[in-house]
Amino acid sequence: MLDHTALLALGAGYPALSGFVVDAAEGRAAVHVPALCPTAA
């Protein structure tokens, strides 16, 4: 599960998180983001 700090790191271009989201988009991983985390980020 990603919290707001992880989403902020992702937005800053953190390579490991960016790769994880790419894997999720291609069906190789699952991403769970609590509903309020994008708002906090």
Side-chain angles (χ1 to χ4, degrees), residues 2-38:
L2 301 176
D3 64 2
H4 69 282
T5 56
L7 293 176
L8 287 171
L10 177 62
Y14 188 67
L17 280 176
S18 296
F20 184 69
V21 170
V22 169
D23 287 343
E26 295 178 353
R28 294 188 303 251
V31 176
H32 301 277
V33 179
L36 295 179
C37 285

